[in-house]
Amino acid sequence: MSSLLDVPTRTRTAVSPAARLRTTMAAVRLSIRWFGVRRSLTVEQKARAADTFDADQEFLSARKKLVDTAHPAFKAVTAIRNRAIQYWRSMSLPYPEAGIRLIRQDQIEAFVQKLGEFQQELAEAVQTLNRHYYELKDAARQKLGDLYNPADYPDSLRELFAIEFDFPSVEPPDYLQTLNPELYAQECQRVHERFDEAVRMAEEAFTSELARLVSHLTERLSGNEDGRPKIFRDSAVGNLCEFFDRFRQLNVRSNEELDRLVADCRRVIHGVEPQALRDSQALRQHVATELSRVESVLDGLLVDRPRRNILRRAR
């Protein structure tokens, strides 16, 4: 399924990046429901703590931890949440409204399927966690001492963890056009400005991420430690390759300089295996030198970014 994101440059010169975002992307929101594992101390408990340190109670803030979040069952639940958030972010672009990002419309089906898998994994992990719940409460009772309060603990954890998502509309409601045309026009302008901002945020995010990845790999490939080449993980190369794929999928072609830098960087490491970099000092030096050139230009983009943003808003 093609989209305006895939249309050749010569056929889409009249379409602005913001317009491409608006017509090819959808807003997606990820919501997390989670058991709060910390509670504030009561007034009496805070007073006792203040007395211990001869402190003023009004200037003291204290909380207690209800369960051991390092327990394997709790860590398993947390890991699923983190993976779901990471996937949501990897499939989408930022949007200037808290909790909302933009996803390609032709990727919605895959997104829904994957989130369904995360939801199922979470449900199973929470069941396992719930089987350890008595064990966790008993450990907390011993560690919290007088701070332990049975009322802090629900009967079950099953309904306290959830990963949910929806696709909220970010467009002005149609009924407003008839009800109040002037207000509708204002809302249209507001949405237009938000998508302009989304383009800027996408450029900024891509530039910062590429600069971080290139800088890390260049640092690992350059120089020595104790007379030997620095050690680097395969992921230092793999993460760049993953970035290229994501950039190809989500790039809105709003910054020709950034497009060129990504292409240069892709060319440098195309077909280069991590082990080959370890085995060949000449290849290692060549890649490091080429990436250093990309890095210097990226640094310039990052330094110039505030001025570039001001100029864009002034237009």
Side-chain angles (χ1 to χ4, degrees):
M1 179 177 180
S2 63
S3 71
L4 282 174
L5 291 173
D6 302 314
V7 176
T9 303
R10 64 179 181 276
T11 65
R12 50 177 166 80
T13 54
V15 182
S16 71
R20 287 199 295 277
L21 277 186
R22 196 167 176 177
T23 56
T24 62
M25 309 290 273
V28 59
R29 177 168 50 202
L30 192 69
S31 304
I32 306 292
R33 187 167 72 249
W34 217 249
F35 172 53
V37 298
R38 298 185 185 276
R39 294 286 187 278
S40 296
L41 299 188
T42 65
V43 173
E44 179 183 353
Q45 291 166 342
K46 283 177 59 178
R48 288 168 55 191
D51 288 343
T52 301
F53 296 100
D54 192 24
D56 188 330
Q57 180 181 339
E58 295 300 319
F59 287 81
L60 181 67
S61 176
R63 297 191 299 168
K64 59 184 177 181
K65 192 174 181 180
L66 300 184
V67 297
D68 180 13
T69 54
H71 189 284
F74 202 99
K75 289 176 68 176
V77 170
T78 303
I80 296 169
R81 177 193 64 184
N82 294 344
R83 285 166 49 214
I85 293 173
Q86 183 179 11
Y87 176 75
W88 170 60
R89 295 183 64 86
S90 72
M91 290 282 288
S92 58
L93 293 174
Y95 184 75
E97 187 171 327
I100 292 179
R101 293 178 66 86
L102 300 174
I103 185 173
R104 284 180 58 151
Q105 293 173 10
D106 58 5
Q107 292 296 315
I108 288 177
E109 185 176 349
F111 177 84
V112 171
Q113 180 177 342
K114 187 64 176 179
L115 263 292
E117 294 173 6
F118 284 130
Q119 290 172 329
Q120 182 60 36
E121 286 185 52
L122 181 64
E124 295 172 0
V126 170
Q127 285 185 353
T128 300
L129 175 62
N130 204 56
R131 288 197 291 270
H132 292 276
Y133 189 31
Y134 178 81
E135 172 190 340
L136 288 167
K137 287 193 293 184
D138 188 56
R141 185 184 296 109
Q142 298 177 38
K143 294 181 179 181
L144 287 173
D146 292 342
L147 295 179
Y148 180 82
N149 181 2
D152 290 330
Y153 298 83
D155 295 334
S156 170
L157 297 177
R158 287 192 180 91
E159 303 301 323
L160 300 182
F161 296 85
I163 298 173
E164 299 170 340
F165 61 92
D166 66 322
F167 300 92
S169 173
V170 292
E171 295 291 339
D174 291 337
Y175 67 81
L176 199 58
Q177 188 170 13
T178 301
L179 185 66
N180 190 325
E182 183 177 351
L183 182 57
Y184 179 77
Q186 292 175 6
E187 285 298 292
C188 286
Q189 179 61 30
R190 182 184 65 83
V191 171
H192 176 78
E193 291 173 354
R194 286 199 167 188
F195 275 94
D196 277 341
E197 178 69 5
V199 170
R200 184 196 67 78
M201 293 171 70
E203 284 183 17
E204 189 173 296
F206 280 133
T207 302
S208 297
E209 183 178 3
L210 181 61
R212 176 178 57 81
L213 293 172
V214 169
S215 176
H216 174 69
L217 182 56
T218 302
E219 189 274 333
R220 290 287 86 192
L221 295 179
S222 303
N224 300 282
E225 288 179 341
D226 300 326
R228 304 180 64 182
K230 293 179 180 179
I231 297 173
F232 68 91
R233 299 177 183 271
D234 289 2
S235 59
V237 176
N239 289 341
L240 262 173
C241 294
E242 291 178 5
F243 171 86
F244 297 147
D245 289 340
R246 192 166 65 257
F247 186 80
R248 179 177 57 81
Q249 288 288 329
L250 295 173
N251 181 27
V252 293
R253 313 296 194 270
S254 59
N255 188 319
E256 292 183 0
E257 190 169 16
L258 178 59
D259 292 349
R260 184 170 60 254
L261 287 172
V262 172
D264 288 346
C265 191
R266 186 199 296 267
R267 173 185 52 77
V268 171
I269 69 168
H270 178 70
V272 175
E273 297 294 333
Q275 192 56 48
L277 290 170
R278 298 185 182 98
D279 295 339
S280 172
Q281 180 60 32
L283 177 61
R284 188 181 182 115
Q285 185 60 47
H286 169 74
V287 172
T289 300
E290 292 296 309
L291 289 182
S292 292
R293 294 172 182 166
V294 174
E295 183 181 13
S296 64
V297 181
L298 283 168
D299 289 344
L301 282 180
L302 292 172
V303 169
D304 292 342
R305 185 172 58 202
R307 179 174 177 272
R308 288 156 54 85
N309 293 345
I310 292 171
L311 290 175
R312 180 178 288 115
R313 292 192 185 101
R315 284 201 283 267

